[in-house]
Amino acid sequence: MSKAVEQKKLVVADIVSKLDRSKTIVVADYRGLTVKQTNELRKELREAGVELQVLKNTMTRRASEQVGLSELGEYLTGPSAVAFSYDDVVAPARVLHKFAKDNKALEIKGGVVEGKVVGLEDIEALAELPSREGLLSMLLSVMQAPVRNFALAVKAVADKDGEAPEATEA
């Protein structure tokens, strides 16, 4: 086999590895971005723990077929930049969505979220989700509500009876 074919096989194997390890993958068309904008996007993604690569569509298609994501091929047309996130499910969608709002040249095509190929609408919905900390804060608030309401009811009954509840130290 020629060196070029061997090199291409190595590239496909590398993409397969990234597809296997990624929790979220977002494919975007970057045509029209300036070098400065591209560098800014890469910096924002790197800070969020996301890897951005410009890959050949044919090699990415072959790799996606090997890992059972052949539907991803429909988003691999034209110049494609692929963002891989290995830890945070929401980070690539959030960063790319925000960047695309500010820079109309960037167009999100679709991607993969936890092993399922999704379209633009799902990527945008994922980007709009609150952060993990925000979701945990909401959950904690919901869990505390019954206890807080009970405490307010006990205080109201005590105040009605004319005796102020004594403060106790925990």
Side-chain angles (χ1 to χ4, degrees), residues 93-154:
R94 180 173 287 129
V95 173
L96 286 168
H97 181 68
K98 180 181 174 284
F99 196 85
K101 279 185 177 177
D102 299 336
N103 301 281
K104 299 298 179 198
L106 183 71
E107 177 187 330
I108 298 172
K109 299 178 186 178
V112 179
V113 177
E114 294 188 337
K116 182 179 179 240
V117 177
V118 296
L120 172 62
E121 301 80 26
D122 294 323
I123 297 292
E124 288 177 342
L126 183 63
E128 298 294 331
L129 282 177
S131 67
R132 181 178 190 275
E133 291 76 22
L135 288 171
L136 289 173
S137 172
M138 288 179 203
L139 176 64
L140 183 62
S141 177
V142 168
M143 291 172 62
Q144 286 179 337
V147 174
R148 185 178 31 236
N149 292 341
F150 179 72
L152 289 172
V154 168

Side-chain angles (χ1 to χ4, degrees), residues 158-170:
D159 288 345
K160 182 179 176 189
D161 291 341
E163 54 187 61
E166 293 182 20
T168 58
E169 293 184 20

Side-chain angles (χ1 to χ4, degrees), residues 7 10-19 21-22 24-30 33 38 41-43 45-46 49-57 59-60 63 72 75-76 78-86 92 96 106 109:
Q7 192 67 24
L10 289 174
V11 170
V12 170
D14 183 49
I15 297 170
V16 165
S17 168
K18 289 178 182 187
L19 290 171
R21 291 183 296 141
S22 296
T24 304
I25 301 159
V26 179
V27 180
D29 184 343
Y30 62 93
L33 289 179
T38 305
L41 175 61
R42 285 182 186 274
K43 180 180 179 238
L45 287 168
R46 200 175 318 112
V50 179
E51 179 183 346
L52 181 72
Q53 278 194 306
V54 175
L55 300 169
K56 290 200 175 273
N57 291 333
M59 291 186 196
T60 308
L72 186 62
Y75 302 114
L76 298 170
S80 298
V82 184
F84 299 96
S85 178
Y86 307 113
L96 286 168
L106 183 71
K109 299 178 186 178

